[in-house]
Structures are given as C-alpha cells and as structure tokens.
Amino acid sequence: MVTITLVQGDITRQRADAIVNAANSSLLGGGGVDGAIHRRGGPEILAECRALRASHYGKGLPAGRAVATAAGNLDADHVIHTVGPVWSASEDRSEVLASCYREALRVADELGARTVAVPAISTGVYRWPMEDAARIAVETVRQTRTAVQEVRFVAFDEGAYRAFAAYIG
C-alpha cells in the first residue's frame, strides 16, 4: 500500500525517483509548475519533450495521459508529464483529472520509481478549485494499485497544504 505524505514547498527542490509535471499539452514548457520544472531541469527535459512531439505526440499530449522524460538538473531520475483538464462549471471533467494521477502512477511503475513527488494538477491557470482537486487527487492515489511506495504531494502554498491535509488526514 502506498504511503501518502504532504509537504509545502517547491516541487523542483524535491528529491524523488520521479517528479510529476502539471504540463500543458505542447510538452514544451509554460507557466506555473511546468515552467518551473523546465527552467530548473534545464535543456535536457525540453529536448526529450521535443523528441516526443516529433515521434509520438505530434498534436500534443492529450489531457489525462502521462509520459516520462529524464529529469535534467532536478534531484530526480525522471519527470512524468501529465496534462490536466481545464476546470468547467458546465461539464464534469473530474474523471480526466483522476486519470492524470492514475496515468502518472502507471508510468512511475513502468520506470520502477518508488518515490513520486506530485503537485496539485489543474489548480493553477486551469482554475480547478483546490479543495475538489485535492479530494480527487488523494482519493485516486488511494484507489490506484501501484508499486510506488511513497506519493508525496507538494503544496506550493498554505492554502493548497490545508486542502490536501484535510483529505490525507
């Protein structure tokens, strides 16, 4: 059974076998977590993302899917990129958000990763309400069969930390 932990801080400073990136579908960097991972990780991550775009994901990585690259200068072996859905008040996209976590764990298992650091996916510019995103994230990780030993949710600020703490217990 996976151990779920919670820390507040910068995901790019985490030591883990894999760090999950809340990527955009282009895989070419952006703002928020995605931009921070690309900046700190360096050009190796971008080069591998460009190769993925050229070979398998010409139209970009679909929401709810995940793919791995090297971690460059990060203190991890891999970055697992997953694209969260944009929140919608008129359409329930929670299954797509849950798929991000399931797919990230599936890729982590393929990589043999035992520790995985994960951000709050879709809560930045994709506007998913933090409390609901935390609930979906924690419930999904608890329900997913995985060989990962520790999933460490990394909350960027106090509000995210409180939201995740309410579900982790």
Side-chain angles (χ1 to χ4, degrees), residues 103-144:
E103 284 289 298
L105 290 172
R106 179 190 60 77
V107 171
D109 284 343
E110 289 175 359
L111 297 168
R114 296 294 173 252
T115 57
V116 180
V118 185
I121 297 167
S122 287
T123 60
V125 296
Y126 289 0
R127 301 181 324 275
W128 204 286
M130 185 60 73
E131 291 74 19
D132 191 47
R135 178 190 59 79
I136 291 167
V138 173
E139 287 178 0
T140 302
V141 168
R142 283 188 174 138
Q143 295 168 1
T144 301

Side-chain angles (χ1 to χ4, degrees), residues 2-21:
V2 65
T3 298
I4 298 174
T5 59
L6 174 63
V7 298
Q8 184 177 337
D10 180 347
I11 196 163
T12 69
R13 302 281 186 178
Q14 295 297 305
R15 170 65 198 121
D17 295 330
I19 292 175
V20 175
N21 179 18

